[in-house]
Amino acid sequence: MYLAETRSSSPSKQTGRLWRRVPANVLALGVVSLVTDISSEMVTAILPLYLVIGLGLNPLQFGLLDGLYAGATAVLRLAGGHVADRWRRLKAVAGIGYGLSAVCKLGLLAAGSSVAAIGGVLAVDRAGKGIRTAPRDALISLSTEPSKLGRAFGVHRALDTFGAFLGPLVAAGVLWASLGDFNAVFVGSFCIACCGVLLLVLLVKDHPRPGPAIAVPLRGMLGLLSIKAFRRCCGWAAMLGLVTITDSFVYLALQRRWEVSTALFPLLPIGTAGTFLLLAVPLGRLADRVGRWKLFLAGHGALVLALLLLCGPVKSPLLAVVALGLHGAFYAATDGVLPAAAGPLLPEHLRASGLALLQTGQALARMVSAVLVGLVWTLWDLRPALLATTAALLVVTIAAAIVRPWEEAR
């Protein structure tokens, strides 16, 4: 049910009216994501520094781990969506994913300096994310009117990103208070993740569907690709993922080019998160009006500009700030907009399965991308890696703009 609207026309009341037009369940899921992302980004903010500088990994080794972090558990995204639709228990399956990721924060303590053990823990952590993402996005989609999906996903991603904004700050504070003890960050991250699981149990309502659990065959999920528009959406999303550089490489490139100190490195994601936070809701609303696929591609255009600044001839610190802002704009225009675009293409009883299929293609593509960027960086250095990625991303974005997957009805 939607919360009541007020009629005041003042800016603050208009903002409040926007949030009240969003379903309460979407707000609850946003709060859960906010708390969970504080936990996740505490670890993510320090991980590249910990692996590359602390453990001495070269770019290719880091690319392998980063690729694992991005997509090695992609199959579990399919499993999460499939089980959620089969059980008709979206909240329960999402809760399993949140809980699994929480436990993995303690696993980093046990892993120590072993690269293999760290890789295993990261794989399980991403398994948790893979399991929960499709059921969570399906809950958002099923709790919202189709014409307002861009706004709903924008509000959810704004709350999620506020957690991503706070996470590096909390990590930096814990590192300062603990005199640089990474284990203190892992323990704090675990405690906050447990709070997120508790909030999911208390605040989020499942989307009830009458009748007993039904057998949804796995081939039924793959059969969704027979929907022409959805098949094209998945294909182009995967192709774009293949030429999209992962966050960790963006921050490492910034650190190397502008010689960012070790103490300030965990704060780099704040630039991305801050822009994402500011733009997620307005761009979500804009997507509902002008077309979600158009905005999705515009977001990739913003990433192209960001990469050009990272490998361009000018080395002004202001350009580093602009690059981070464009990186955040990329996420604001793509992260919630893609599931908002794909959701209405899918039948309700297979909504989680379809979104899992879409996200799996992206995850596998980004896994390959991370390895390729790490390989080119190792063989030919940073600038060639960035230039090659930028050129490929520009070509695929233009091609996706020319060959549109479907005509959107607004």
Side-chain angles (χ1 to χ4, degrees):
M1 178 177 289
Y2 287 80
L3 302 179
E5 299 181 21
T6 62
R7 297 186 178 181
S8 171
S9 59
S10 68
S12 61
K13 294 292 183 63
Q14 288 176 355
T15 302
R17 191 162 63 237
L18 166 65
W19 289 82
R20 282 189 286 271
R21 284 201 296 262
V22 174
N25 213 35
V26 174
L27 294 177
L29 285 163
V31 171
V32 172
S33 292
L34 187 157
V35 174
T36 302
D37 247 40
I38 293 175
S39 167
S40 298
E41 293 302 319
M42 286 176 66
V43 174
T44 302
I46 66 170
L47 201 59
L49 193 69
Y50 179 60
L51 294 175
V52 175
I53 296 179
L55 300 185
L57 271 65
N58 63 40
L60 177 58
Q61 291 172 317
F62 178 77
L64 290 169
L65 274 182
D66 197 39
L68 178 69
Y69 194 63
T73 56
V75 173
L76 287 175
R77 294 174 183 261
L78 296 176
H82 176 70
V83 171
D85 284 333
R86 186 185 182 97
W87 290 356
R88 300 188 176 191
R89 294 292 183 270
L90 299 175
K91 175 181 172 179
V93 176
I96 292 171
Y98 279 111
L100 192 59
S101 292
V103 172
C104 285
K105 305 303 187 293
L106 292 182
L108 290 170
L109 289 173
S113 60
S114 169
V115 175
I118 291 172
V121 172
L122 293 180
V124 177
D125 176 62
R126 291 301 89 183
K129 182 175 176 62
I131 289 170
R132 71 179 183 253
T133 299
R136 181 203 65 199
D137 284 352
L139 274 174
I140 296 171
S141 180
L142 293 169
S143 300
T144 309
E145 294 177 12
S147 63
K148 298 177 181 177
L149 280 172
R151 174 191 297 165
F153 274 99
V155 168
H156 174 270
R157 294 316 197 250
L159 288 167
D160 181 275
T161 306
F162 187 51
F165 183 85
L166 294 176
L169 292 174
V170 176
V174 171
L175 281 176
W176 175 80
S178 63
L179 303 178
D181 185 0
F182 287 106
N183 287 341
V185 176
F186 300 148
V187 172
S189 175
F190 167 74
C191 295
I192 295 174
C194 289
C195 293
V197 175
L198 181 61
L199 288 171
L200 176 78
V201 173
L202 296 177
L203 299 180
V204 176
K205 295 181 180 179
D206 211 344
H207 183 80
R209 281 176 277 179
I214 57 175
V216 179
L218 192 59
R219 65 178 178 273
M221 176 187 292
L222 298 177
L224 292 171
L225 294 176
S226 64
I227 303 173
K228 185 177 181 180
F230 179 67
R231 181 175 68 251
R232 290 181 173 180
C233 181
C234 289
W236 281 112
M239 288 180 65
L240 287 164
L242 187 63
V243 291
T244 298
I245 191 169
T246 60
D247 298 355
S248 297
F249 276 117
V250 170
Y251 302 138
L252 285 172
L254 275 163
Q255 191 274 336
R256 176 171 170 178
R257 183 171 173 81
W258 280 277
E259 299 177 349
V260 178
S261 69
T262 300
L264 294 178
F265 183 86
L267 302 181
L268 290 179
I270 292 177
T272 298
T275 309
F276 192 170
L277 177 62
L278 291 174
L279 296 180
V281 176
L283 289 185
R285 297 177 69 187
L286 181 63
D288 288 336
R289 292 198 298 268
V290 305
R292 292 159 191 159
W293 188 253
K294 291 178 182 177
L295 196 69
F296 180 70
L297 295 181
H300 286 82
L303 182 59
V304 168
L305 294 176
L307 294 179
L308 287 174
L309 293 179
L310 287 178
C311 59
V314 183
K315 200 177 178 182
S316 167
L318 178 61
L319 294 182
V321 176
V322 174
L324 282 173
L326 288 168
H327 191 229
F330 157 69
Y331 276 110
T334 59
D335 191 61
V337 171
L338 181 61
L345 304 175
L346 300 163
E348 283 197 9
H349 70 287
L350 290 174
R351 188 70 54 89
S353 298
L355 291 177
L357 195 61
L358 174 68
Q359 293 157 359
T360 296
Q362 271 194 312
L364 289 173
R366 289 184 177 180
M367 177 182 67
V368 175
S369 173
V371 176
L372 291 177
V373 172
L375 177 62
V376 176
W377 189 336
T378 301
L379 295 177
W380 293 295
D381 204 23
L382 166 63
R383 197 163 184 269
L386 293 178
L387 286 172
T389 302
T390 305
L393 178 59
L394 180 61
V395 169
V396 177
T397 301
I398 292 174
I402 295 172
V403 186
R404 288 179 287 184
W406 73 95
E407 292 294 333
E408 292 187 272
R410 298 188 297 278

